[in-house]
């Protein structure tokens, strides 16, 4: 802290207020950055774009983030944090294993459709070769979680007719993220939940009986 460097000791409540302001400022900056990355893509976004969207100066953005690469990394980390939160909410439902797989994919589809940070993170992953920092490898923990649920299903003796859990999880994740990309290009992800429902029913027909317990599954009209 600059004050401390000059020998000035701030009262604890003043330090706490400064820290709270810094946290709020970073949140505003990251929200603006996510909106910009989602709308324009990494190459077209400038720090000035982010600053103007955040209602700040470029200097204020640079105070918190060294450059555009640092912003891209921070938004990507938010993306994976949000994916982790979605996974936790599904685990709390204690659904049957195949129901958990379906619910996770459906909730993720809804987030891709509705949440800017998810849309930004997905776009940044596509543009990772243009970004000058190493981003997290895509969807590793997500795939492992799905594989663990599929393994539980197999251990229960109900998934013997399915491919190996790791193989099936990889196929599901690849199919889902391919579907979200196509849905984005063709329909701005408006139909992604429906595409995901069809994907689950096609790749894991035996999940149909558990999908009736999934809160996110579309209901028959």
């Amino acid at each position: 802290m600059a004050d401390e460097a000059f020998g000035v000791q701030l009262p604890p409540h003043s330090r706490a207020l400064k820290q709270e302001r810094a946290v709020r400022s970073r949140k505003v900056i990251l929200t603006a950055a996510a909106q910009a990355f989602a709308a324009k893509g990494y190459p077209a976004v400038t720090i000035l774009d982010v600053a103007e969207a955040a209602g700040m100066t470029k200097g204020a953005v640079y105070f918190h983030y060294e450059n555009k690469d640092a912003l891209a990394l921070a938004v990507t980390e938010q993306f994976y944090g949000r994916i982790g939160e979605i996974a936790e909410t599904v685990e709390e439902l204690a659904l049957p294993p195949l129901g958990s797989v379906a619910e996770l994919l459906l909730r993720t589809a809804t987030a891709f459709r509705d949440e800017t940070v998810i849309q930004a993170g997905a776009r940044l992953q596509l543009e990772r070769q243009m970004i000058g920092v190493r981003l997290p490898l895509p969807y590793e923990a997500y795939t492992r979680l799905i594989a663990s649920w599929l393994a539980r299903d197999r251990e229960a003796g109900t998934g013997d007719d399915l491919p190996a859990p790791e193989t099936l999880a990889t196929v599901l994740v690849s199919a889902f993220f391919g579907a979200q990309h196509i849905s984005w290009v063709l329909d701005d992800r408006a139909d992604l939940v429906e595409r995901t429902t069809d994907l689950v029913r096609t790749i894991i027909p035996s999940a149909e009986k558990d999908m009736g317990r999934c809160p996110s599954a579309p209901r028959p009209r």
Side-chain angles (χ1 to χ4, degrees):
M1 303 282 288
D3 298 316
E4 292 171 352
F6 285 95
V8 177
Q9 293 292 325
L10 292 175
H13 71 276
S14 297
R15 290 198 297 271
L17 285 173
K18 290 186 73 172
Q19 291 169 352
E20 288 175 12
R21 283 198 296 269
V23 169
R24 287 197 299 270
S25 295
R26 285 193 291 270
K27 184 176 180 179
V28 170
I29 291 168
L30 287 183
T31 298
Q35 291 168 345
F37 289 138
K40 299 172 65 173
Y42 178 83
V45 172
T46 68
I47 292 293
L48 181 59
D49 293 331
V50 176
E52 289 179 344
M56 298 180 179
T57 64
K58 287 173 61 176
V61 175
Y62 279 121
F63 178 80
H64 293 284
Y65 296 96
E66 181 180 4
N67 50 36
K68 190 169 72 167
D69 288 344
L71 278 173
L73 177 59
V75 170
T76 303
E77 289 173 344
Q78 273 197 327
F79 166 78
Y80 281 110
R82 179 68 184 116
I83 292 289
E85 290 172 0
I86 293 169
E88 288 177 4
T89 65
V90 173
E91 289 189 299
E92 289 169 0
L93 295 173
L95 295 168
L98 295 187
S100 294
V101 172
E103 182 67 15
L104 176 63
L105 291 170
L106 289 166
R107 290 193 181 204
T108 306
T110 301
F112 267 91
R113 185 191 65 197
D114 298 341
E115 299 182 22
T116 303
V117 71
I118 296 292
Q119 296 160 3
R123 186 161 187 169
L124 289 169
Q125 285 290 5
L126 291 175
E127 298 166 342
R128 60 188 296 124
Q129 298 303 323
M130 306 176 192
I131 301 170
V133 292
R134 182 180 176 86
L135 299 183
L137 291 174
Y139 316 123
E140 285 191 324
Y142 193 89
T143 304
R144 286 196 299 270
L145 178 60
I146 289 177
S148 72
W149 284 330
L150 294 170
R152 281 173 45 202
D153 185 63
R154 173 168 284 201
E155 290 166 3
T158 55
D160 294 338
D161 57 336
L162 296 174
E166 294 78 9
T167 300
L168 183 53
T170 299
V171 169
L172 280 166
V173 173
S174 300
F176 172 77
F177 286 101
Q180 75 80 22
H181 182 75
I182 293 170
S183 179
W184 171 41
V185 172
L186 297 182
D187 203 22
D188 200 27
R189 298 190 177 96
D191 66 347
L192 184 53
V193 172
E194 290 73 20
R195 284 178 181 266
T196 303
T197 302
D198 292 342
L199 182 154
V200 172
R201 286 174 170 156
T202 301
I203 298 177
I204 321 178
S206 54
E208 182 70 37
K209 65 181 185 300
D210 292 333
M211 287 184 71
R213 297 176 59 182
C214 294
S216 301
R219 299 300 176 226
R221 296 180 180 178

